[in-house]
Amino acid sequence: MLAIKKQALASASRVLFRTNVLSGLAAGAARAYHSKLYKSSDEAIEGVKSGNTLLIGGFGLCGIPENLLKAIARRKDIQQLTAVSNNAGTADYGLGTLLQSRQIKRMVSSYVGENKEFSRQYLGGELEVELLPQGTIAERVRSGGAGIPAFYTLTGVGTQVETGGIPIKYNKEGEVVIASEPRETKVFNGRKYLMEEGIVGDFALVKAWKGDELGNLVFKYAASNFNAPMATAGKITIAEVEEIVPVGELKPNEIHISGIHVHRILKGETYEKRIEKLTLRRSAEEESELPEAMKQRIHIIKRAAREFQDGMYVNLGIGMPVLASNYIDPSITVHLQSENGILGMGPFPTAEEVDADLVNAGKESVTVLPGGTCFSSDVSFGMIRGNRLDMTILGGMQVSSRGDLSNWMVPRKMVKGMGGAMDLVSAPKSRVVVTMTHTSKDGSPKILQENTLPLTGVQCVDRIITDKCVFDVIPNKGLLLRELSYGQTVDSIRASTGCSFEVASDVAETY
């Protein structure tokens, strides 16, 4: 019994000592720590060499490590890089400058978009491009950082992501010389899944709003995007920040990335914080003066806005669909999600509301409504894959009578990349609505018996809304004509549609 009492007293003494030490620290006692602070971006990239794999944070130009990329561009001896990034900025800024200087051998991306130099080098056989779904990149990087070698996902099942054959490298004659490999598959609960491997980089280059000398990071608004997962997946992570704050100023519950992941940190020398697509809210008078093509898009999207129901969580795809945020019935609440890390997205801003750290998936300036939240890309796609969304509205190039969707590539001619579309249409409980013009510019139909372009998703579309009509996709049956746009008839729809369809008994002109 005496021995037990002595042990208890000793334990109490240790607890008391530890409590006093912690109290001293909390009271502001001096604490020695190893500083990770570097003086410049040139100094911070020491050790980066040719052939390295770099994980590059940011989304478009939002949250990109501007200064670190400039430092890499100044080092012309660094060549043959593999860059893992959602996209490559613009032709003249961000990661695009490393394309211009020919320092990149391979891009691992989800979206080429409007970067003409990116597209030109890829289609011209000068650059290897491994195109992957956006959510797959985010999860592969997150998994790599978490020590998970591989995982299974529904994203890409039934497409060339599964079967292989997506062009990675063309030759000068436009022939495919390197193509993607087929994925291993496995069935869980009656559904097929693809296996994807985790990604780890030699270096991760990320950008945050604030940080301290221990490497703790805080992001601002939607600039968390790919920065957060990539910060965890670099063998060496280098973070540039707008502001270095004293250790202890960042409260523990404010920190987004713990310093354990960050090896080097610096205050960025200068920041331009460009906005790729500065987009402002339009008045009704301004809408009336728009070109006919834009009026046609607005006509489609106003009808699409009728799909919203009170309390819905909805993702709006880039391009035409995102316009729907401006036409929500004010009597209902709709929570708009943007896959780059926003929930509670509002309309386009006024000139006074513009913030470079708030952009949507189309890289356009946006607002966030009261109660909205911002988070990283891996968290965003976890919401999508986890069936948290009630509906997604996407653009389309082609839709088949079975509801197959194509919207990311015209082989050898035009490459948008799949972006987040494959992830969005693979969520089995989310309603998928496609908005598009009924025909191409040459008058050829976009609604077909069979898609001729690479697939985004198989039998995934529930409703099609065009400038001419509304179709529902009925499983195992085909298309049902539900509504007509003003001035259209059943016969005019048959003449401009590339497959047969049934007509609802109550079909009428409604928009």
Side-chain angles (χ1 to χ4, degrees), residues 289-460:
E289 299 173 359
L290 292 172
E292 286 304 314
M294 180 56 75
K295 289 181 181 178
Q296 183 185 49
R297 289 157 64 90
I298 291 174
H299 174 66
I300 296 168
I301 217 64
K302 283 183 175 179
R303 169 57 190 84
R306 297 184 198 170
E307 299 294 307
F308 297 133
Q309 297 177 22
D310 194 28
M312 269 188 166
Y313 289 89
V314 181
N315 180 283
L316 301 178
I318 64 174
M320 191 191 311
V322 79
L323 297 171
S325 63
N326 298 289
Y327 302 104
I328 297 173
D329 183 340
S331 68
I332 66 173
T333 298
V334 177
H335 308 279
L336 297 180
Q337 196 251 21
S338 186
E339 60 260 39
N340 58 307
I342 303 174
L343 183 63
M345 184 173 65
F348 296 131
T350 62
E352 294 74 26
E353 294 172 323
V354 171
D355 190 312
D357 293 315
L358 268 178
V359 300
N360 62 23
K363 292 86 175 176
E364 299 165 308
S365 47
V366 292
T367 57
V368 175
L369 299 175
T373 57
C374 296
F375 34 83
S376 59
S377 295
D378 56 315
V379 172
S380 182
F381 281 96
M383 296 175 184
I384 292 167
R385 286 191 305 274
N387 286 306
R388 304 303 182 190
L389 298 181
D390 298 298
M391 180 171 68
T392 183
I393 303 179
L394 305 121
M397 295 179 184
Q398 292 179 346
V399 179
S400 78
S401 61
R402 295 189 307 274
D404 302 330
L405 172 65
S406 299
N407 73 350
W408 67 279
M409 173 187 271
V410 178
R412 300 185 183 182
K413 292 183 180 180
M414 188 277 291
V415 184
K416 290 172 59 180
M418 57 280 285
M422 284 190 180
D423 304 276
L424 288 160
V425 302
S426 68
K429 295 181 181 178
S430 179
R431 178 173 169 80
V432 175
V433 176
V434 170
T435 57
M436 63 182 187
T437 55
H438 203 92
T439 60
S440 300
K441 291 180 180 180
D442 62 3
S444 59
K446 292 184 176 181
I447 302 172
L448 307 166
Q449 189 65 37
E450 300 280 349
N451 295 45
T452 60
L453 297 175
L455 296 181
T456 304
V458 177
Q459 297 182 31
C460 58

Side-chain angles (χ1 to χ4, degrees), residues 34-47:
H34 171 70
S35 175
K36 301 177 182 179
L37 185 63
Y38 279 65
K39 295 178 181 179
S40 69
S41 53
D42 290 315
E43 181 185 48
I45 66 164
E46 185 64 35

Side-chain angles (χ1 to χ4, degrees), residues 273-291:
K273 297 187 71 169
R274 295 186 188 181
I275 299 175
E276 194 165 337
K277 297 179 182 178
L278 178 60
T279 310
L280 302 179
R281 201 175 306 165
R282 297 189 186 97
S283 66
E285 293 75 19
E286 288 172 321
E287 280 192 7
S288 66
E289 299 173 359
L290 292 172

Side-chain angles (χ1 to χ4, degrees), residues 94-209:
L95 198 50
T97 58
L98 299 187
L99 292 177
Q100 292 277 14
S101 60
R102 303 299 195 276
Q103 289 171 267
I104 296 177
K105 176 185 178 182
R106 175 177 287 207
M107 287 292 307
V108 180
S109 300
S110 82
Y111 196 68
V112 176
E114 294 73 37
N115 189 327
K116 293 181 179 179
E117 180 62 16
F118 190 174
S119 180
R120 188 196 68 75
Q121 288 189 25
Y122 173 46
L123 294 176
E126 300 173 26
L127 177 70
E128 296 176 12
V129 178
E130 186 177 351
L131 288 169
L132 297 169
Q134 189 177 138
T136 295
I137 295 178
E139 189 62 17
R140 286 182 67 177
V141 171
R142 190 203 69 82
S143 295
I148 298 170
F151 61 92
Y152 286 92
T153 178
L154 282 169
T155 302
V157 170
T159 74
Q160 282 187 293
V161 174
E162 176 189 347
T163 61
I166 299 175
I168 292 176
K169 179 72 181 295
Y170 292 98
N171 62 19
K172 300 295 184 182
E173 289 70 44
E175 300 167 328
V176 178
V177 293
I178 305 175
S180 65
E181 296 291 330
R183 296 295 195 268
E184 179 181 319
T185 64
K186 190 170 183 177
V187 175
F188 296 91
N189 300 318
R191 297 185 70 99
K192 185 195 291 186
Y193 288 72
L194 311 183
M195 191 183 81
E196 297 284 359
E197 298 183 6
I199 294 175
V200 175
D202 297 302
F203 289 84
L205 311 182
V206 302
K207 188 262 177 181
W209 179 32

